[in-house]
Amino acid sequence: MHEEANGDASPRGVEQGDREFLSLERELTVLFRRARANQGEMAREVHPDLESAAYGLLVRLEECGRQRATELAGYIGVGKATMSRQLRALEQLGLIAREPDPADGRAWLVDLTGEGRSRVSRVREARRERYVSHFSHWDRGEVAELARLLHQLNRGMEK
């Protein structure tokens, strides 16, 4: 279990004004650790052989539709070789399909298969239901504010 964010525990030599940033770092560390574990669970729910990192690719394709592999690599933040390996694995599992890009015959577009779309949608809906359950004691305005702040954080980290 982690310490309370407003607790007095802080390393020696830390300025009083830096405590909120230490609290932020501590809470983000817990959140990211839980998110990684959660992503692994969701990946296995989509397909038992799906790598945890590939789950984000499937979600991106569900949200944005077909894309070039280079666009996906840029969004996820990996190189072309890593993206090619992940896409091959997803294709072998029957979750994605590739087709030539009509705008550039040398490039390929990647999209979810019907099976891939069905599996990803089912897992995302189950996750949404878990969020509704976990946050049932929160005011909807607080949930919206948390989402807004996380969006702001994510946008700031893109820069």
Side-chain angles (χ1 to χ4, degrees):
M1 191 152 290
H2 70 285
E3 298 175 22
E4 290 295 316
N6 296 328
D8 290 338
S10 63
R12 279 186 221 167
V14 174
E15 302 279 327
Q16 178 68 28
D18 289 338
R19 285 186 181 187
E20 59 270 7
F21 292 103
L22 285 173
S23 293
L24 175 64
E25 187 272 338
R26 181 183 322 113
E27 296 306 321
L28 285 175
T29 298
V30 171
L31 178 65
F32 293 156
R33 179 178 45 79
R34 288 183 177 154
R36 277 191 303 274
N38 194 6
Q39 183 169 331
E41 289 173 20
M42 289 181 294
R44 286 185 296 281
E45 287 176 29
V46 170
H47 193 285
D49 297 328
L50 184 64
E51 288 184 26
S52 176
Y55 178 77
L57 289 173
L58 297 175
V59 169
R60 179 69 174 184
L61 288 169
E62 183 191 40
E63 290 179 348
C64 299
R66 64 185 190 167
Q67 295 184 12
R68 286 184 177 187
T70 53
E71 291 173 307
L72 288 168
Y75 175 76
I76 300 293
V78 298
K80 286 194 284 184
T82 299
M83 181 55 54
S84 291
R85 183 185 59 78
Q86 287 183 341
L87 292 176
R88 266 193 311 279
L90 290 170
E91 199 168 24
Q92 289 171 350
L93 294 174
L95 301 174
I96 66 159
R98 298 185 221 201
E99 62 183 55
D101 184 345
D104 180 353
R106 299 168 296 167
W108 292 86
L109 293 174
V110 179
D111 201 1
L112 293 172
T113 61
E115 179 68 16
R117 189 168 310 283
S118 172
R119 287 175 179 244
V120 171
S121 293
R122 187 179 68 246
V123 170
R124 291 189 80 195
E125 178 58 23
R127 179 174 59 166
R128 188 198 60 76
E129 289 174 7
R130 283 192 300 264
Y131 286 152
V132 168
S133 175
H134 288 313
F135 290 97
S136 63
H137 63 284
W138 284 41
D139 176 88
R140 290 276 175 142
E142 292 173 325
V143 175
E145 179 65 3
L146 176 59
R148 186 191 69 76
L149 290 170
L150 289 171
H151 178 74
Q152 184 177 335
L153 173 68
N154 287 328
R155 288 196 59 182
M157 291 182 150
E158 287 175 1
K159 297 176 181 178

